[in-house]
Amino acid sequence: MPRIDRRDFIAYLGGTAAIAGMTAEAKADAIEHYLTANVTAVPAAPAGTAAKRPPTVAELEAQIPTRPYRRGAGKLFAAEQGNVPLLAPLPANANLADFIRHRFMGTSEHCLQSARLARRKNLDEDVVFACLIHDLVLNVMRTEHGFWAAQMFEPYVSEKVTFAIRHHATLRFFPDKEAGYEYPELYRTMFGSDYVVPAHQQAEYEMVRKHRWYGATRDITVNDLYSFEPGVKVSVDDFLDVIGRHFKQPKEGLGLDGSPVAHMWRSAANPDSPL
Ligand SMILES: [Fe+2]
Ligand SMILES: [Fe+2]
């Protein structure tokens, strides 16, 4: 376990009062975000010289052979710190809420807080739902997560929700001041200070920018929280009605309905299966 500077970490979370109000999962998530933002950065410069700076693309690449996992691996499949936990069995006919509770813990808090924020802003309910599911697939696969998410959810959600979650990941790289969205500072650390968005993503952005569902897609990025509100515990139970109206739950259970993406849900259900 890398060393954490306690004072830095407390400040990062907004002080001791903020930490007191956090759930155990929120704290675990916060530690992970903190480590992503700090441990992967290049070492701090000696006192009195330049402050910490984000790594360059070349420096991030040099870190690849220093890890036992790849950064694109889903959170269920590789622990960034320590070992993976034993998982609880899923109930028969597992539904989306069961997966959120028992398999998608790595991003459930983040997604629930994003959905809560969208609901407080009175956004359309399908956008609230899109926020609720937008990053759940990170537990299966991180690389290309917008496209993985869209594929995994497509049989069960509207075309608009599929579009919004497919393209939210690319919109994250493109600021929209009018919408209140800036390029995330965290991305300088995660992708490199000199990272250049590849041409295919630039083209994807230009297509989405002109699309009638740009607004819904942009809303996901605006509500994409990287903070943890003190004292706020968001439960999936608060969104069962939204899920009921926007997710076509297969009666056989997710992974068992014979759909073209059933194997993706089974992979999330049984991530310890060796083949
Ligand atoms: Fe995302
Ligand atoms: Fe997100």
Side-chain angles (χ1 to χ4, degrees), residues 110 134-135 224:
H110 166 66
H134 79 283
D135 273 346
D224 207 346

PDB file of all heavy atoms in Angstrom, residues 110 134-135 224, ligand 2:
ATOM      1  N   HIS A 110     -20.662   6.716  -6.832  1.00  0.00           N
ATOM      2  CA  HIS A 110     -20.471   7.798  -7.800  1.00  0.00           C
ATOM      3  C   HIS A 110     -21.706   7.959  -8.700  1.00  0.00           C
ATOM      4  O   HIS A 110     -22.201   9.067  -8.921  1.00  0.00           O
ATOM      5  CB  HIS A 110     -19.229   7.486  -8.639  1.00  0.00           C
ATOM      6  CG  HIS A 110     -19.097   8.305  -9.874  1.00  0.00           C
ATOM      7  ND1 HIS A 110     -18.894   9.658  -9.842  1.00  0.00           N
ATOM      8  CD2 HIS A 110     -19.172   7.963 -11.191  1.00  0.00           C
ATOM      9  CE1 HIS A 110     -18.842  10.113 -11.087  1.00  0.00           C
ATOM     10  NE2 HIS A 110     -19.005   9.110 -11.915  1.00  0.00           N
ATOM     11  N   HIS A 134     -24.409   5.493 -15.867  1.00  0.00           N
ATOM     12  CA  HIS A 134     -23.396   5.871 -16.855  1.00  0.00           C
ATOM     13  C   HIS A 134     -22.022   5.222 -16.650  1.00  0.00           C
ATOM     14  O   HIS A 134     -21.315   4.969 -17.613  1.00  0.00           O
ATOM     15  CB  HIS A 134     -23.254   7.400 -16.935  1.00  0.00           C
ATOM     16  CG  HIS A 134     -22.446   8.024 -15.842  1.00  0.00           C
ATOM     17  ND1 HIS A 134     -22.928   8.214 -14.573  1.00  0.00           N
ATOM     18  CD2 HIS A 134     -21.167   8.483 -15.820  1.00  0.00           C
ATOM     19  CE1 HIS A 134     -21.993   8.785 -13.828  1.00  0.00           C
ATOM     20  NE2 HIS A 134     -20.913   8.948 -14.561  1.00  0.00           N
ATOM     21  N   ASP A 135     -21.639   4.953 -15.417  1.00  0.00           N
ATOM     22  CA  ASP A 135     -20.291   4.402 -15.167  1.00  0.00           C
ATOM     23  C   ASP A 135     -20.318   3.012 -14.534  1.00  0.00           C
ATOM     24  O   ASP A 135     -19.278   2.541 -14.070  1.00  0.00           O
ATOM     25  CB  ASP A 135     -19.508   5.341 -14.226  1.00  0.00           C
ATOM     26  CG  ASP A 135     -18.781   6.450 -14.977  1.00  0.00           C
ATOM     27  OD1 ASP A 135     -18.647   6.356 -16.211  1.00  0.00           O
ATOM     28  OD2 ASP A 135     -18.344   7.411 -14.324  1.00  0.00           O
ATOM     29  N   ASP A 224     -21.310  14.626 -13.478  1.00  0.00           N
ATOM     30  CA  ASP A 224     -20.312  13.592 -13.207  1.00  0.00           C
ATOM     31  C   ASP A 224     -19.429  14.041 -12.049  1.00  0.00           C
ATOM     32  O   ASP A 224     -18.474  14.779 -12.236  1.00  0.00           O
ATOM     33  CB  ASP A 224     -19.466  13.399 -14.475  1.00  0.00           C
ATOM     34  CG  ASP A 224     -18.897  12.010 -14.551  1.00  0.00           C
ATOM     35  OD1 ASP A 224     -18.918  11.294 -13.539  1.00  0.00           O
ATOM     36  OD2 ASP A 224     -18.413  11.659 -15.640  1.00  0.00           O
TER      37      ASP A 224
HETATM   38 FE    FE B   2     -18.767   9.326 -14.090  1.00  0.00          FE
END
